[in-house]
Amino acid sequence: MEITKIINPATGKKIAEYDRISVNEVKNKIKTSHQVFNTWKNTSFDERAKLMYKLADVLEENKEEYAQLATREMGKVIGQSRKEIEKCASICRYYADNTKDLLANQTVKTEAEKSYVTFQPIGVILAVMPWNFPFYQVIRFAVPALMAGNIGVLKHASNVQGCAFAIEDAFKKAGFPDGTFFNLNISSKHVKDIIEDKHIVAVTLTGSDPAGRSVASIAGQNLKKTVMELGGSDAYLILDDADMEKATDLATFGRLQNNGQTCIAAKRFVVLDAVYDEFLKLFTKKMKEAKMGLPTDDDTYYGPMSRKDLRDELHEQVKKTISQGGRLVLGGEIPDREGAFYPATILADLKPGMEGFDNELFGPVASVIRAKDDQEAIELANNSQFGLGSGVITENKERGEKIALQLEAGSSYVNKLVASDPRLPFGGVKNSGYGRELSGYGIREFVNTKTIWID
Ligand code: NAP
């Protein structure tokens, strides 16, 4: 029997072990879920909403336990773990309040006596999810999926299996019928067997580009719909009229929140020549002052990365960028302590072709890039394989909006860090993926958009 070992990234110590489930057991569970789907799909929005409000309550009632678990398993600073659970509860309530409207039939005037579009559930959906927001990423998929009348099956990241089982348990506690949502502790090598199961109708993946390509191609071979939420290396443009205190506060929090491991984090800072030196000086000061420490301590600004191997990979990327001519301004050394810690690091004067410019740095490392004017800043921002969530910092909102409209990304925010919001669609372009989550756009990804015509 294969085992998943969970290591606390702050201490390097093993904290739990979970037995992997066999492919045969998984297939039996999926078969049961398919049967459950036949009743679940006929429940009303009101019945589902009642359970969803209850799920929000369960998440809030167990907030401290779930937050501590997430922090233990993947190193998130405890205050941010608590906020993550609160956000999960708000998504439950958003879809409980709004699904009836979001999925209401849409009448279309034609020469028919009656013609309209209706949104019907499609069946059992597999979600392959990452560790970085171990509760939120799952809830963001599962809540709209179940509200639409589908079934959710989770393959979570191996290092957060405690969170995966806690989410499954939260659905049970809320009273969802057995089989409407469950966790499969399988290794990623068995994802192919699951996608190929005839009862799985669609797959959503949030994770890295290689995992996305693999899952999307297997699903494509089987003609199953996918949504891909992949990586990002988005640009934040710091214009010459920006308030430098505000800009550097946003940059510091944007780069270090979730210990630097957020898909939509500010990663590349494209700074106009006129304020480049001033920005870099103040940003360096604030990044240096941010306290690295145990994620359970209240005064910690950022904790360890989620796994040692990921920390070591990030360090290799930093070294590569420096060898390509990038200037190390801060950090860049693995600290001499237990755990997967990496210090706040700044790489400046980056150019296309350098590792820190071209690829995602998924940890507390900022890339700073000089641009002579707005036009060059837009070109540098768009010179990326990714396009998830970018930003513009300026005192002139009109100028900011004009630039935001030209950035190749799923979201572009002016004077605010990109953050997902259940009322707005979330997703990427280019190698950041395709499809949308959240809002009406997200819930309609996994439904049969069906035409009815009565003559
Ligand atoms: P990852 O290594 O791709 O893992 C994500 C999930 O995919 C895990 O459950 C993993 O399982 C599974 N997996 C990995 N390789 C697979 C394969 N070949 N076939 C099937 N499943 C596979 O990514 P991560 O390191 O957990 O997360 C970091 C990445 O996710 C970053 O690039 C980040 O930007 C991106 N991300 C994107 C969003 C978004 O909304 N766009 C949100 C968060 C994160 P195992 O753990 O068992 O390997």
Side-chain angles (χ1 to χ4, degrees):
M1 164 87 63
E2 250 188 284
I3 282 172
T4 329
K5 285 187 191 150
I6 314 288
I7 308 289
N8 181 335
T11 62
K13 302 229 159 48
K14 188 178 89 179
I15 47 172
E17 279 187 359
Y18 295 92
D19 291 340
R20 292 272 198 207
I21 178 172
S22 74
V23 172
N24 273 346
E25 282 173 276
V26 171
K27 287 186 167 271
N28 283 336
K29 277 182 167 245
I30 292 173
K31 199 168 164 193
T32 309
S33 281
H34 173 70
Q35 286 154 5
V36 173
F37 173 63
N38 289 325
T39 19
W40 180 247
K41 70 180 179 189
N42 293 321
T43 53
S44 68
F45 289 132
D46 288 343
E47 283 171 79
R48 294 175 209 157
K50 222 185 214 171
L51 294 169
M52 228 24 111
Y53 288 124
K54 188 77 185 76
L55 180 61
D57 295 342
V58 170
L59 288 164
E60 281 174 350
E61 283 155 18
N62 296 279
K63 180 168 88 176
E64 193 54 31
E65 186 195 321
Y66 294 160
Q68 294 287 350
L69 177 60
T71 291
R72 243 183 353 263
E73 290 196 331
M74 52 69 69
K76 193 187 301 269
V77 172
I78 187 67
Q80 293 177 26
S81 291
R82 291 182 187 120
K83 286 210 171 88
E84 179 174 335
I85 306 298
E86 287 163 14
K87 192 161 180 179
C88 290
S90 75
I91 290 187
C92 296
R93 296 197 177 106
Y94 171 80
Y95 277 108
D97 288 343
N98 293 294
T99 299
K100 213 192 248 184
D101 291 339
L102 295 172
L103 295 185
N105 290 344
Q106 294 177 358
T107 299
V108 180
K109 233 176 144 30
T110 63
E111 57 278 25
E113 187 180 309
K114 187 175 171 190
S115 50
Y116 61 96
V117 181
T118 190
F119 302 99
Q120 297 188 334
I122 52 174
V124 186
I125 301 167
L126 171 68
V128 182
M129 289 289 141
W131 44 262
N132 66 337
F133 288 87
F135 280 82
Y136 172 69
Q137 302 287 3
V138 176
I139 290 292
R140 184 170 84 178
F141 147 73
V143 169
L146 266 66
M147 280 304 301
N150 295 309
I151 300 289
V153 173
L154 170 66
K155 184 270 174 268
H156 214 331
S158 297
N159 56 330
V160 289
Q161 280 306 310
C163 295
F165 283 112
I167 299 167
E168 182 186 70
D169 190 50
F171 275 93
K172 273 191 203 138
K173 282 189 174 122
F176 280 84
D178 264 2
T180 41
F181 176 87
F182 61 87
N183 175 45
L184 306 173
N185 182 13
I186 51 159
S187 110
S188 50
K189 65 177 186 263
H190 293 310
V191 167
K192 181 172 185 288
D193 300 312
I194 311 307
I195 297 172
E196 287 172 348
D197 188 291
K198 67 176 182 202
H199 296 305
I200 294 289
V201 294
V203 190
T204 182
L205 177 138
T206 301
S208 61
D209 176 310
R213 283 176 198 275
S214 167
V215 165
S217 65
I218 297 163
Q221 285 295 319
N222 290 276
L223 284 182
K224 294 184 182 180
K225 178 165 181 183
T226 49
V227 165
M228 292 286 140
E229 295 285 357
L230 308 178
S233 182
D234 283 291
Y236 274 64
L237 277 57
I238 316 293
L239 303 192
D240 44 14
D241 63 355
D243 175 323
M244 281 300 123
E245 282 298 341
K246 264 199 267 172
T248 48
D249 279 347
L250 280 180
T252 305
F253 183 70
R255 191 59 289 231
L256 297 182
Q257 65 168 317
N258 208 25
N259 311 337
Q261 305 161 124
T262 306
C263 53
I264 44 173
K267 291 180 187 131
R268 290 183 303 138
F269 298 93
V270 179
V271 188
L272 289 201
D273 195 34
V275 288
Y276 187 86
D277 294 334
E278 190 188 350
F279 173 84
L280 195 54
K281 195 170 161 207
L282 202 52
F283 184 37
T284 305
K285 179 174 174 281
K286 289 180 183 175
M287 289 279 276
K288 203 172 173 180
E289 281 167 3
K291 185 170 179 277
M292 179 173 82
L294 288 175
T296 40
D297 289 350
D298 283 334
D299 64 342
T300 292
Y301 197 97
Y302 68 102
M305 291 179 58
S306 73
R307 296 195 321 245
K308 254 190 181 160
D309 59 311
L310 296 175
R311 189 271 311 270
D312 294 345
E313 268 175 40
L314 179 73
H315 186 54
E316 288 307 309
Q317 288 183 289
V318 169
K319 287 201 294 192
K320 187 171 175 189
T321 309
I322 296 167
S323 74
Q324 291 168 324
R327 178 159 63 98
L328 179 69
V329 177
L330 181 72
E333 294 282 339
I334 294 181
D336 182 19
R337 63 183 288 176
E338 285 302 325
F341 287 90
Y342 199 73
T345 296
I346 297 179
L347 298 166
D349 308 342
L350 299 200
K351 302 216 163 14
M354 294 181 184
E355 179 69 16
F357 186 101
D358 291 347
N359 289 312
E360 182 181 31
L361 299 176
F362 209 58
V365 181
S367 299
V368 185
I369 297 147
R370 191 190 289 267
K372 66 174 189 298
D373 54 24
D374 290 11
Q375 195 47 43
E376 193 184 41
I378 295 166
E379 281 162 20
L380 285 164
N382 289 341
N383 185 347
S384 172
Q385 58 174 311
F386 299 108
L388 195 56
S390 54
V392 187
I393 315 296
T394 172
E395 289 296 292
N396 180 339
K397 291 182 187 169
E398 238 173 78
R399 183 181 174 200
E401 187 177 349
K402 214 167 131 197
I403 293 175
L405 284 163
Q406 295 175 73
L407 295 176
E408 295 164 2
S411 309
S412 296
Y413 281 37
V414 178
N415 294 334
K416 188 179 181 317
L417 292 171
V418 177
S420 62
D421 180 317
R423 297 164 296 182
L424 292 163
F426 181 89
V429 295
K430 304 201 266 186
N431 286 354
S432 292
Y434 52 80
R436 291 293 177 264
E437 290 194 284
L438 299 176
S439 76
Y441 294 93
I443 199 168
R444 287 193 208 108
E445 289 283 1
F446 294 121
V447 292
N448 173 12
T449 303
K450 184 170 176 175
T451 297
I452 300 289
W453 178 291
I454 315 287
D455 219 358

